[in-house]
């Protein structure tokens, strides 16, 4: 019973995060976050730092998010995407040892592409510290976007760092 309550609370919290988002995102370069601190902490030769206003997001069936890829602002078009197998089941064992099916919570994982570059694929996950995004070029190169807050302590979760695979030292 306590586990079901925790699951309900977790679902409600995720629903609040998603419904708190409204319509769009702004991407703005930031001058107050030191590139060399971020690059040194993450072990990067180079990166781009930008801001996403996640309070203006809308998680519709298909939704768009502007991001910076290799210094250019582009738009990702994303759709929810399950990583679970079609027959996935969540079983919960009660105190008597009996197993019960439970509806699993929806994972905030998305797939899509770059509108301005349709051959570029994109995937994103909304984790507790913000978005983690990978953009895959047709040549197989990966542009990673992750919260800069993990690299350099700052208030808020709106600062992101973007970098190519080959920038990792």
């Amino acid at each position: 019973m306590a586990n079901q309550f925790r699951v309900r609370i977790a679902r409600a919290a995720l629903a609040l995060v998603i419904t708190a988002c409204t319509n769009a995102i702004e991407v703005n370069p930031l001058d107050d976050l030191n590139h060399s601190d971020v690059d040194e902490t993450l072990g990067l030769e180079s990166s781009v730092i930008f801001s996403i206003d996640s309070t203006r997001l809308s998680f519709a069936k298909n939704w768009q998010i502007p991001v910076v890829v290799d210094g250019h602002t582009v738009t990702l078009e994303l759709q929810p995407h399950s990583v679970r197998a079609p027959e996935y089941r969540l079983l919960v064992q009660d105190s008597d040892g009996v197993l019960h099916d439970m509806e699993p919570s929806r994972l905030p994982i998305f797939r899509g592409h770059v509108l301005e570059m349709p051959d570029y694929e994109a995937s994103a996950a909304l984790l507790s510290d913000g978005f983690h995004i990978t953009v895959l070029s047709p040549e197989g190169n990966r542009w990673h976007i992750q919260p800069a807050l993990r690299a350099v302590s700052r208030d808020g979760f709106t600062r992101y760092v973007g970098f190519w695979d080959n920038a990792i030292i």
Side-chain angles (χ1 to χ4, degrees), residues 142-165:
R142 287 181 175 82
W143 177 259
H144 301 278
I145 298 170
Q146 67 183 48
L149 184 63
R150 289 179 33 200
V152 178
S153 179
R154 295 284 184 170
D155 294 333
F157 296 105
T158 61
R159 292 168 183 88
Y160 286 81
V161 58
F163 55 93
W164 287 110
D165 274 342

Side-chain angles (χ1 to χ4, degrees), residues 36-141:
S36 61
D37 289 347
V38 172
D39 289 348
E40 182 179 335
T41 303
L42 292 175
L44 301 173
E45 289 181 358
S46 62
S47 66
V48 174
I49 297 173
F50 61 98
S51 175
I52 296 175
D53 182 2
S54 58
T55 63
R56 298 178 58 200
L57 269 177
S58 173
F59 295 102
K61 181 123 177 111
N62 293 319
W63 57 282
Q64 297 179 353
I65 176 174
V67 297
V68 176
V69 174
D70 201 22
H72 305 284
T73 300
V74 297
T75 308
L76 303 183
E77 183 170 66
L78 301 168
Q79 305 83 33
H81 176 78
S82 178
V83 294
R84 294 181 177 142
E87 300 301 318
Y88 175 84
R89 291 174 55 197
L90 176 61
L91 298 173
V92 177
Q93 187 173 17
D94 66 21
S95 59
D96 297 331
V98 178
L99 294 175
H100 301 280
D101 279 302
M102 177 179 259
E103 183 69 30
S105 62
R106 191 178 79 110
L107 297 173
I109 298 174
F110 309 91
R111 277 209 175 150
H113 65 278
V114 178
L115 283 179
E116 296 83 357
M117 300 178 284
D119 292 342
Y120 282 62
E121 299 175 14
S123 64
L126 178 57
L127 304 179
S128 61
D129 61 344
F131 284 102
H132 292 257
I133 299 169
T134 300
V135 175
L136 180 65
S137 76
E139 298 80 28
N141 300 316

